[in-house]
């Protein structure tokens, strides 16, 4: 048994103006999960401590919270993996959400983005799905099983640095769930779904892998890349900056073997997009003034033909 | 002190003691940005290598690592491009490829992992490399210069080499993403509690600042998608760093450098002025090891780092 101090964020939006913290000491084995420690605190010390929980086995996705600065499921986090030398554990509500009461947050923005996906199968009109059994091959199903493990705990959404500065971004979970329908052979709305998620800022993912800490190993970071590839394959909204950027980078690697900084800026913004180019001009001028302007012309790397051979063998699209 | 579960002699192990390390001759992959807008990074890396007494042999025919962007177009191309680079290193008798960019580190390690973990993918890559007579035998380890400093040079030796200690300069480490995440790819240290940059900062006489922003994203990859979002990501992190007392920032990644150095001004409207000068890792280490400040390209930074060095009486 160990004396563990839970340093808990306390706030009730109905009465409090500012949050405060309570330190609650519980006497439990140190291998106990943080969720069980909270349950003990609630049962034995202070019944008013509020947090969401249900299954206690990482299936329901209710108990995501910030534990010593790390967001994850409390039911999957043993106390001894997070407590400091004094046996203290700091517990806060998940970031990127508005606190409601103690560790309970307003989940609405997360659910709204999920609802926008129309998260149910929509067979095409010509499909007589309702009249017969629909078979999915094991290979087709394999693409979906990992994503189907998502329990919507919103851990990825809470960890996402883009969400933290731009709430319009769909967030990792919604994009991973979009993938689940986009790649489902029974669905008839593939292009519409890709367009919808592109409009919800698919291409605003910053490739930071913060969401690689998914407690269910859905790996939203990789699913986001899958959806981007689907967008390029199906040529959906190709004139937006995201796909243009991906293709111009690829095109110049094929041409000169390197990332061509000046070309990719012009190519992404659009050579004739005067307003867009004027917007980046001040930074460009400041860089030029410091002698930091990337070269306008790049000599191809030695043996660039080998690079082109690779692109041709893999039939990589460059426009 | 292995952070991965892999046996020590496997190329995937970030802590591997390579033959290149034993001979002090490394394959060197500078990456595109150090050859284009951040030439000061390339130059200061070569000056640092000189001071450390190691030889960095540039893989001049290497291509871009894929920069995390080509994955958006095709799932195989980055893997095969990097296999070509590794084959070039092997042909030179080198089993170590040193990078100076977090994005290169992460994506080259990811490509290597994909190749080494699947015979099918390795054969597929080699079938394409075979068209121009190249083969990758799977002997290469990709590591960042930061890891080389700690594993091969060692912090004690580094400390002993310092001739111009930083005088307690308060430096905020900024890891960025791809040198630490995903852990399954990088695995040199914990991505949630990294300490390599802190260790180097302390070894060269600085004081490392702890703040939550050090492992967060700089927003570089979305600058062209939505520049205000990218600027806000910079502002958020630099605000945290300054509130914790930072006087300067140290980063192992030129993409983070471009973002932090270039976008603090744009972020000031929302986050207040921070104006924290940002050093490339080899710049600050080379400076402490006695390379003259005027050879490190500090004048190329948008936020001039010489001001704080003068204030701290580190340069005249």
């Amino acid at each position: 048994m160990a004396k563990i101090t839970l340093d808990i964020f306390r706030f009730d939006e109905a009465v409090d103006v500012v949050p405060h913290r309570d330190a609650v000491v519980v006497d439990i084995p140190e291998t106990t999960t943080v969720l069980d420690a909270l349950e003990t605190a609630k049962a034995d010390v202070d019944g008013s401590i509020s947090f969401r929980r249900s299954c206690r086995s990482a299936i329901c996705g209710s108990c995501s919270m910030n534990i010593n600065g790390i967001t994850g499921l409390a039911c999957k986090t043993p106390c001894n993996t997070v407590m400091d030398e004094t046996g203290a554990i700091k517990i806060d509500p998940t970031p990127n959400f508005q606190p409601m009461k103690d560790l309970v947050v307003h989940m609405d923005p997360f659910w709204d983005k999920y609802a926008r996906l129309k998260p149910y199968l929509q067979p095409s009109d010509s499909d007589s799905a309702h009249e017969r059994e629909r078979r999915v091959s094991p290979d087709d199903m394999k693409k979906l099983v990992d994503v189907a493990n998502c329990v919507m705990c919103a851990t990825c959404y809470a960890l996402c640095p883009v969400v933290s500065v731009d709430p319009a971004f769909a967030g990792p979970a919604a994009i991973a769930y979009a993938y689940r329908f986009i790649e489902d052979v029974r669905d008839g709305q593939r292009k519409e779904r890709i367009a919808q998620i592109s409009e919800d800022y698919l291409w605003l993912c910053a490739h930071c892998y913060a969401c690689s800490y998914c407690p269910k190993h859905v790996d939203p970071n990789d699913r986001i890349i899958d959806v981007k590839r689907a967008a390029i394959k199906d040529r959906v909204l190709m004139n937006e900056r995201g796909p243009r950027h991906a293709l111009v980078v690829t095109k110049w690697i094929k041409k000169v073997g390197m990332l061509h900084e000046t070309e990719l800026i012009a190519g992404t913004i659009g050579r004739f997009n005067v307003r867009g180019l004027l917007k980046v001009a001040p930074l460009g001028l400041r860089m030029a003034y410091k002698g930091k302007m990337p070269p306008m012309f790049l000599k191809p790397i030695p043996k660039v033909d080998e690079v082109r051979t690779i692109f041709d063998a893999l039939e990589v699209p460059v426009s | 002190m292995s952070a991965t579960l892999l046996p020590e002699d496997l190329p995937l192990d970030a802590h591997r003691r390579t033959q290149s390390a034993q001979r002090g001759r490394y394959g060197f992959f500078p990456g595109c940005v150090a050859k284009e807008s951040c030439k000061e990074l390339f130059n200061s890396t070569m000056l640092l290598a000189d001071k450390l007494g190691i030889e960095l042999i540039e893989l001049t025919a290497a291509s871009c690592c894929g920069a995390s962007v080509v994955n958006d177009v095709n799932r195989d191309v980055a893997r095969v491009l990097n296999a070509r680079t590794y084959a070039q290193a092997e042909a030179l008798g080198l089993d170590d490829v040193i990078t100076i960019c977090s994005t290169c580190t992460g994506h080259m390690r990811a490509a290597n992992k994909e190749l080494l973990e699947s015979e099918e993918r390795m054969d597929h890559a080699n079938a394409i490399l075979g068209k121009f007579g190249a083969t990758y035998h799977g002997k290469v380890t990709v590591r960042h210069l930061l890891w080389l400093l700690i594993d091969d040079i060692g912090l004690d030796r580094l400390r002993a080499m310092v001739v111009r200690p930083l005088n307690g300069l308060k430096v905020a480490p900024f890891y960025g993403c791809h040198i630490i995440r995903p852990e399954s790819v990088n695995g040199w240290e914990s991505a949630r509690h990294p300490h390599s940059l802190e260790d180097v900062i302390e070894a060269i006489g600085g004081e490392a600042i702890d703040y939550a922003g050090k492992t967060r994203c700089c927003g570089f990859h979305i600058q062209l998608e939505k520049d205000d979002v990218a600027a806000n990501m910079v502002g958020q992190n630099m605000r945290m760093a300054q509130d914790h007392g930072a006087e300067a920032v140290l980063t192992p990644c030129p993409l983070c450098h471009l973002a932090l150095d270039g976008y603090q001004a744009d972020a000031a409207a929302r986050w207040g002025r921070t104006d924290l000068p940002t050093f490339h890792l080899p710049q600050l280490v080379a400076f402490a090891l006695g390379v003259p400040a005027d050879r490190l390209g500090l004048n190329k930074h948008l936020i001039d780092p010489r001001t704080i060095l003068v204030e701290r009486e580190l340069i005249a």
Side-chain angles (χ1 to χ4, degrees):
Chain A
M1 300 294 271
K3 285 213 185 314
I4 292 174
T5 309
L6 303 177
D7 169 11
I8 306 168
F9 173 97
R10 302 300 306 268
F11 176 71
D12 183 347
E13 65 174 4
V15 291
D16 295 334
V17 180
V18 287
H20 68 280
R21 306 195 73 89
D22 276 345
V24 181
V25 181
V26 287
D27 203 4
I28 46 173
E30 59 179 32
T31 49
T32 308
T33 64
V34 172
L35 181 62
D36 279 343
L38 279 169
E39 292 278 24
T40 308
K42 189 176 171 74
D44 298 350
V45 186
D46 182 349
S48 73
I49 301 168
S50 299
F51 49 94
R52 286 199 176 100
R53 79 287 195 200
S54 180
C55 77
R56 299 180 299 160
S57 339
I59 293 168
C60 75
S62 301
C63 67
S64 185
M65 53 186 74
N66 190 274
I67 304 161
N68 270 355
I70 289 171
T71 302
L73 296 180
C75 68
K76 236 191 137 180
T77 310
C79 288
N80 58 352
T81 61
V82 286
M83 65 192 193
D84 65 15
E85 328 63 77
T86 66
I89 301 173
K90 200 165 164 264
I91 307 177
D92 287 272
T94 46
N96 290 353
F97 286 97
Q98 202 65 34
M100 183 192 296
K101 188 164 188 292
D102 302 339
L103 306 173
V104 177
V105 296
H106 286 281
M107 294 279 285
D108 315 58
F110 180 79
W111 296 125
D112 289 348
K113 286 166 183 175
Y114 176 62
R116 283 172 66 81
L117 302 173
K118 302 196 179 121
Y120 39 84
L121 283 176
Q122 301 175 73
S124 62
D125 293 341
S126 59
D127 194 318
S128 51
H130 53 289
E131 289 165 9
R132 60 188 166 83
E133 177 190 31
R134 289 294 308 267
R135 293 224 169 154
V136 181
S137 75
D139 275 348
D140 284 333
M141 204 60 205
K142 230 159 86 184
K143 293 188 204 162
L144 310 182
V145 281
D146 286 345
V147 183
N149 282 337
C150 175
V151 293
M152 315 221 167
C153 64
T155 297
C156 58
Y157 191 89
L159 290 168
C160 178
V162 178
V163 170
S164 80
V165 293
D166 188 357
F169 178 50
I175 302 176
Y177 233 77
Y179 165 88
R180 184 250 166 274
F181 291 102
I182 288 164
E183 290 299 335
D184 193 316
V185 291
R186 296 164 294 185
D187 196 77
Q189 302 290 314
R190 180 179 161 98
K191 281 201 178 193
E192 291 78 359
R193 290 183 186 280
I194 296 172
Q196 169 75 53
I197 200 69
S198 298
E199 278 163 17
D200 288 351
Y201 300 106
L202 161 69
W203 294 89
L204 199 54
C205 163
H207 319 181
C208 77
Y209 290 87
C211 55
S212 62
Y213 289 103
C214 170
K216 300 298 285 185
H217 307 291
V218 170
D219 292 339
N221 41 289
D222 289 339
R223 300 295 79 75
I224 292 169
I225 298 171
D226 286 333
V227 176
K228 288 174 175 175
R229 276 200 289 256
I232 286 180
K233 188 173 160 217
D234 283 34
R235 306 198 67 76
V236 179
L237 297 173
M238 291 297 278
N239 217 14
E240 297 295 316
R241 284 191 179 193
R244 277 222 309 258
H245 180 67
L247 287 168
V248 77
V249 168
T250 310
K251 178 173 97 179
W252 280 94
I253 295 176
K254 185 176 180 183
K255 257 191 184 168
V256 296
M258 285 175 80
L259 195 103
H260 197 318
E261 289 182 78
T262 41
E263 285 291 345
L264 78 86
I265 293 167
T268 303
I269 295 170
R271 218 166 280 280
F272 304 106
N273 177 357
V274 178
R275 256 183 80 189
L277 289 172
L278 278 176
K279 212 173 162 208
V280 297
L283 181 60
L285 288 174
R286 279 191 288 146
M287 288 178 70
Y289 176 71
K290 291 279 189 173
K292 215 175 158 47
M293 200 62 186
M296 299 292 277
F297 303 99
L298 279 185
K299 214 172 74 192
I301 58 166
K303 301 189 207 166
V304 72
D305 287 349
E306 297 178 0
V307 171
R308 293 175 193 159
T309 303
I310 293 171
F311 276 72
D312 290 339
L314 296 169
E315 295 173 13
V316 182
V318 292
S319 63
Chain B
M1 195 197 69
S2 179
T4 76
L5 298 174
L6 292 160
E8 258 177 38
D9 56 343
L10 265 182
L12 288 177
D13 181 9
H15 287 284
R16 178 176 174 233
R17 182 89 179 128
T18 57
Q19 287 175 12
S20 290
Q22 288 162 37
R23 296 178 191 140
R25 289 180 83 239
Y26 299 87
F28 177 42
F29 182 89
C32 304
V33 175
K35 303 286 277 186
E36 295 181 46
S37 57
C38 287
K39 292 193 187 76
E40 74 278 5
L41 167 62
F42 181 85
N43 296 336
S44 50
T45 303
M46 296 321 259
L47 291 167
L48 174 63
D50 227 31
K51 281 278 172 200
L52 296 171
I54 58 169
E55 202 181 338
L56 295 181
I57 298 153
E58 188 183 340
L59 303 170
T60 48
S63 70
C64 171
C65 70
S68 88
V69 180
V70 300
N71 284 338
D72 295 349
V73 176
N74 181 287
R75 73 169 75 240
D76 301 313
V77 65
R79 188 192 316 128
V80 184
L81 283 175
N82 286 309
R84 174 178 171 273
T85 301
Y86 306 147
Q88 289 169 5
E90 281 182 350
L92 293 168
L94 304 164
D95 67 343
D96 208 338
V97 171
I98 300 300
T99 60
I100 46 174
C101 167
S102 294
T103 291
C104 297
T105 307
H107 291 91
M108 292 179 75
R109 285 187 64 80
N112 209 18
K113 187 168 192 274
E114 285 179 12
L115 290 162
L116 292 169
E117 286 183 347
S118 156
E119 213 172 311
E120 194 187 329
R121 287 193 289 253
M122 184 69 101
D123 291 346
H124 171 250
N126 274 329
I128 298 172
L129 300 192
K131 290 176 193 278
F132 43 86
T135 317
Y136 175 43
H137 299 97
K139 302 256 189 274
V140 167
T141 297
V142 180
R143 299 188 302 150
H144 193 284
L145 176 70
L146 173 62
W147 306 346
L148 179 157
L149 279 176
I150 295 176
D151 279 350
D152 299 2
I153 305 296
L155 291 167
D156 290 335
R157 261 181 73 203
L158 190 63
R159 214 171 279 121
M161 289 165 125
V162 171
V163 295
R164 194 157 47 185
L166 296 183
N167 224 350
L169 180 73
K170 292 187 174 140
V171 184
F174 191 88
Y175 289 87
C177 304
H178 300 142
I179 193 172
I180 46 173
R181 282 187 299 268
E183 266 179 65
S184 58
V185 166
N186 289 301
W188 191 89
E189 60 190 327
S190 155
R192 292 189 134 156
H193 303 289
H195 54 79
S196 52
L197 280 176
E198 282 91 331
D199 292 348
V200 170
I201 291 167
E202 310 268 336
I204 58 176
E207 186 191 324
I209 297 300
D210 192 23
Y211 67 113
K214 70 181 183 186
T215 55
R216 287 173 69 100
C217 177
C218 71
F220 175 85
H221 288 290
I222 51 171
Q223 279 174 1
L224 293 173
E225 180 70 19
K226 236 181 162 190
D227 56 355
D228 56 320
V229 176
N232 276 328
M233 286 161 78
V234 167
Q236 188 184 44
N237 294 322
M238 292 301 95
R239 168 64 28 230
M240 274 189 252
Q242 195 176 53
D243 287 351
H244 284 79
E247 299 170 301
V249 182
L250 181 66
T251 178
C253 178
L255 311 189
C256 295
H257 190 277
L258 284 172
L260 302 178
D261 191 38
Y263 277 72
Q264 282 186 65
D266 294 339
R270 176 165 167 194
W271 300 94
R273 280 187 69 169
T274 44
D275 291 343
L276 288 171
T278 309
F279 290 94
H280 295 287
L281 170 74
Q283 271 179 333
L284 202 57
V285 178
F287 176 78
L289 265 48
V291 175
D294 58 7
R295 296 188 65 194
L296 294 170
L298 300 173
N299 57 327
K300 303 247 183 232
H301 298 201
L302 300 187
I303 301 170
D304 198 327
R306 290 170 301 184
T307 316
I308 188 69
L309 295 179
V310 171
E311 259 177 52
R312 282 311 204 105
E313 295 174 0
L314 290 162
I315 55 172

